[in-house]
Amino acid sequence: MKFRGRTWKFGDNIDTDAIIPARYLNIWDPQGLAAHCMEDADPDFIKKMKQGDIIVGGENFGCGSSREHAPIAIKAAGIACVVAKSFARIFYRNAFNMGLPIFESRELWERVSNGSEIEVDTDDGLIRIIGGDAEPLRIEPIPPFMQQLIDDGGLMKHIAKRKTQ
Amino acid sequence: MGMTITEKILSRHAGLETVRPGMLINASVDIALGNDITAPIAIDAFRKAGGGPVFDREKVVLVADHFAPNKDIDSAEQCKLMRDFAVEQKLTHYYDVGEAGVEHALLPEKGIVVPGDLVAGADSHTCTYGALGAFATGVGSTDLAAAMMTGELWFKVPETMKFVYHGKRRPWVSGKDLILHTIGRIGVDGALYRAMEFTGETVRGLTMADRLTMANMAIEAGGKNGIFIPDQVTEAYVRDRAERPYEFYTSDPDALYHSVIDIDVEAIEPQVALPHLPSNAKGISEVGNIPIDQSIIGSCTNGRIEDLRVAAEILKGRHIAPRYRLIVIPATPAVYRQAMQEGLFDIFLDAGGVISLPTCGPCLGGYMGILAKGERAVATTNRNFVGRMGHPGSEVYLAGPAVAAATAIAGRLVGPEQL
Ligand code: SF4
């Protein structure tokens, strides 16, 4: 699978309160949440971003609460995938469980600016920066079980599949 | 080779002889927990996947605590959705207004979680129950849906970091100060994906309340779980409350650790974590002159009776600063009643404070004390991220109940010894 889009850069420790502030947690409809995606990190984010764009985070992306509203808001806003140096563990888990593609790359953050165009290619495990002659970057490999979750379409479908087998 | 307490509980629940860090396992869960924020999404996923009865109606626990009593119409809808599900599934552990309290204070208090349990909760502070010697970790709503359906969940066995606390605590230094200091030392991702095992002579002398406070904030260092080795303090706490038989696990002497961190407690004074990360911890004497508008004393971190007693001891016979707001939030109905019977409410009211009903309320910026732009609160809660308690331009300073109470009197950040 390939994701090609413009990048939006955020720093280290982007917490779930920045991704979807708790004052909106009385909403659980994905589109309602998407309207406030990244609001406390960048209040105009949702106006500026386009479908298919890619979020590039620093260390510990998605730290803080367990709210699945965070990956839901990002996905429903139309973000194709998130690439970060590292992810907080519940966010990491949630993303795989509900089907938001996320990738770890320690180098990408330094190599792109806001609005760079990149292509994340999951088939060969590489990220290409478009318009430069830089070497492609390697995505951290995804454990086989997590790949299985993605292939099955998330945790609930994975369970359903296991039940019928 | 031996195993840590975390590895032992995981291996037992996975039906395996041994587990090692990095292994992916399927484990049975003793308690699957959700609240009015996370349960609606889980219930939706549960129903979309075919629904049916939950795996065990006594092991699915739902608590209306975040925006309950309903703060607005949307919150009311979410609580109703959860309530309808609990009734339809005949859940034995569903807690609504009147019986509900902040979930992580409520479950240990009622003996719903016991030592040796594996608890998966759709709330990041589920790690609190590690204080009892249980493996407890926060998961997402889809995880909760899966756990409600199958009674099992996938886990990656974490490496364990061992924290050894030694030395005598200085006056007013509580579990909150120890954990803030620890997070300050290792950073908000210092224990990412790992278990934090709290040991040493100092923690053996801590009350269950202090242990719950410390395990509560393991997530603030990125930890998967925080855990204590159960002992006589644990036994005395659970003996008369445990709903189910319990088991004490311990770490083997030859267990393998990712790292061992020694902490000299004598060097620690009451701590404050400055905005906007829990790791910005400093000793109270180093913070300088910072005017504060509001104290919040409550939450799953510090809303227990022991915390309220500390605050009352400082506030007794004194009055809060002019134009200051002191909001006390007993975490559960039992804490509320106990505080009332002990006369603590009179002390808070005489000091110029107010007492809220049990709720998460302002801790996550819900209601009952939201901050305006430019305002500052000192809170006994666990997160001080941008916008956590209100306007993105407001600030939250994290501290224990002693500093929160002393600050209310002074109107600026101080500890009880600086009054
Ligand atoms: S009191 Fe705060 S941290 Fe604890 S469960 Fe409620 S919102 Fe979460």
Side-chain angles (χ1 to χ4, degrees):
Chain A
M1 198 183 271
K2 288 190 177 75
F3 304 98
R4 186 166 170 157
R6 282 186 315 157
T7 56
W8 292 97
K9 269 178 86 171
F10 293 90
D12 292 342
N13 302 315
I14 293 295
D15 59 79
T16 51
D17 281 279
I19 299 170
I20 182 75
R23 54 185 179 277
Y24 304 121
L25 294 185
N26 53 4
I27 312 171
W28 57 281
D29 148 60
Q31 286 314 320
L33 293 169
H36 304 289
C37 179
M38 307 305 288
E39 188 169 303
D40 281 4
D42 177 354
D44 296 322
F45 178 74
I46 199 71
K47 287 184 222 143
K48 297 186 295 194
M49 65 148 292
K50 286 208 200 68
Q51 297 289 310
D53 284 355
I54 294 171
I55 287 178
V56 179
E59 302 282 2
N60 204 22
F61 187 90
C63 63
S65 98
S66 66
R67 65 189 71 150
E68 208 158 306
H69 311 65
I72 291 173
I74 293 175
K75 192 174 180 199
I79 292 292
C81 64
V82 182
V83 186
K85 289 186 193 170
S86 65
F87 291 93
R89 70 158 270 282
I90 308 179
F91 185 91
Y92 184 84
R93 213 183 152 93
N94 283 343
F96 281 95
N97 282 347
M98 54 72 68
L100 169 72
I102 60 170
F103 306 97
E104 285 179 321
S105 160
R106 300 213 63 84
E107 300 123 303
L108 181 68
W109 200 90
E110 320 289 344
R111 301 273 295 274
V112 293
S113 40
N114 242 347
S116 302
E117 201 173 352
I118 65 169
E119 184 181 75
V120 182
D121 186 338
T122 58
D123 299 330
D124 57 11
L126 294 174
I127 304 176
R128 294 184 188 83
I129 300 166
I130 310 295
D133 42 5
E135 285 280 289
L137 305 171
R138 192 151 287 285
I139 307 169
E140 290 296 321
I142 297 168
F145 171 74
M146 310 299 283
Q147 190 58 51
Q148 193 65 52
L149 279 186
I150 301 173
D151 295 345
D152 291 348
L155 181 62
M156 296 315 277
K157 291 197 178 125
H158 172 75
I159 289 171
K161 193 174 140 191
R162 240 186 21 198
K163 251 200 229 158
T164 54
Q165 271 169 7
Chain B
M1 201 197 315
M3 289 193 285
T4 66
I5 178 171
T6 295
E7 290 157 6
K8 282 189 191 171
I9 297 174
L10 287 174
S11 67
R12 170 64 67 89
H13 286 80
L16 298 169
E17 197 72 15
T18 54
V19 296
R20 294 282 169 234
M23 273 174 72
L24 278 161
I25 57 167
N26 235 351
S28 60
V29 303
D30 296 303
I31 294 292
L33 167 71
N35 59 50
D36 50 314
I37 303 292
T38 57
I41 294 178
I43 292 165
D44 186 51
F46 181 88
R47 290 199 172 124
K48 279 189 182 140
V54 297
F55 82 103
D56 185 335
R57 68 191 187 93
E58 295 185 7
K59 292 183 168 181
V60 175
V61 181
L62 297 179
V63 185
D65 60 354
H66 277 59
F67 293 164
N70 311 332
K71 83 178 177 84
D72 53 23
I73 296 168
D74 287 333
S75 309
E77 296 290 345
Q78 294 196 148
C79 286
K80 181 165 184 303
L81 195 157
M82 188 168 86
R83 186 178 305 121
D84 291 347
F85 180 78
V87 170
E88 158 199 321
Q89 294 281 346
K90 302 190 177 63
L91 302 185
T92 54
H93 293 89
Y94 160 66
Y95 296 92
D96 209 330
V97 176
E99 288 181 312
V102 178
E103 56 202 277
H104 309 306
L106 191 71
L107 269 61
E109 179 191 284
K110 290 200 164 291
I112 298 167
V113 171
V114 299
D117 271 358
L118 191 155
V119 184
D123 188 279
S124 58
H125 292 102
T126 300
C127 53
T128 310
Y129 315 127
L132 299 168
F135 174 86
T137 192
V139 296
S141 292
T142 303
D143 282 312
L144 174 59
M148 290 197 301
M149 189 162 271
T150 65
E152 287 180 357
L153 217 47
W154 65 271
F155 295 99
K156 190 165 155 191
V157 179
E159 294 183 292
T160 299
M161 290 171 87
K162 184 175 180 171
F163 295 83
V164 189
Y165 298 84
H166 42 79
K168 207 166 138 356
R169 281 179 290 146
R170 293 200 206 168
W172 304 107
V173 168
S174 66
K176 181 64 163 286
D177 303 296
L178 300 189
I179 192 67
L180 284 177
H181 172 86
T182 306
I183 298 164
R185 218 163 119 174
I186 65 171
V188 287
D189 59 356
L192 193 60
Y193 299 116
R194 301 193 194 107
M196 298 173 81
E197 189 175 312
F198 302 110
T199 67
E201 81 201 64
T202 316
V203 305
R204 280 195 291 277
L206 290 179
T207 61
M208 191 48 68
D210 273 322
R211 296 180 189 191
L212 288 160
T213 302
M214 289 182 71
N216 174 270
M217 290 191 73
I219 179 72
E220 267 63 63
K224 180 170 203 150
N225 65 312
I227 198 159
F228 287 73
I229 310 286
D231 57 13
Q232 313 90 287
V233 174
T234 321
E235 177 65 33
Y237 183 84
V238 296
R239 198 184 301 131
D240 298 327
R241 8 179 143 234
E243 276 194 348
R244 287 174 287 119
Y246 50 89
E247 195 169 342
F248 281 13
Y249 291 83
T250 188
S251 291
D252 292 325
D254 58 343
L256 218 56
Y257 290 91
H258 166 274
S259 50
V260 179
I261 295 168
D262 270 298
I263 295 179
D264 173 15
V265 172
E266 275 166 57
I268 300 173
E269 57 168 335
Q271 301 282 301
V272 181
L274 310 183
H276 289 285
L277 284 177
S279 56
N280 291 338
K282 272 199 163 70
I284 186 71
S285 67
E286 301 165 39
V287 297
N289 185 11
I290 302 176
I292 303 285
D293 304 290
Q294 171 173 298
S295 287
I296 297 284
I297 300 176
S299 86
C300 58
T301 319
N302 284 116
R304 283 171 281 272
I305 188 68
E306 292 85 349
D307 304 307
L308 268 46
R309 286 182 190 137
V310 169
E313 191 182 334
I314 294 163
L315 288 158
K316 190 168 184 164
R318 289 174 154 133
H319 203 277
I320 61 171
R323 292 173 302 282
Y324 198 90
R325 287 117 46 193
L326 165 65
I327 302 169
V328 181
I329 312 175
T332 68
V335 174
Y336 192 99
R337 187 191 295 271
Q338 179 76 22
M340 191 167 61
Q341 286 174 346
E342 289 182 17
L344 307 188
F345 283 5
D346 291 324
I347 297 175
F348 298 138
L349 291 169
D350 288 344
V354 289
I355 295 126
S356 154
L357 44 86
T359 179
C360 294
C363 172
L364 80 163
Y367 62 153
M368 296 278 176
I370 299 310
L371 301 171
K373 187 176 177 181
E375 285 192 320
R376 298 196 184 105
V378 59
T380 66
T381 57
N382 47 44
R383 288 193 177 130
N384 55 354
F385 301 146
V386 172
R388 174 77 179 177
M389 201 171 275
H391 193 280
S394 62
E395 292 182 346
V396 177
Y397 294 74
L398 302 175
V403 169
T407 298
I409 296 162
R412 62 190 172 85
L413 258 189
V414 294
E417 297 201 313
Q418 289 138 304
L419 281 177

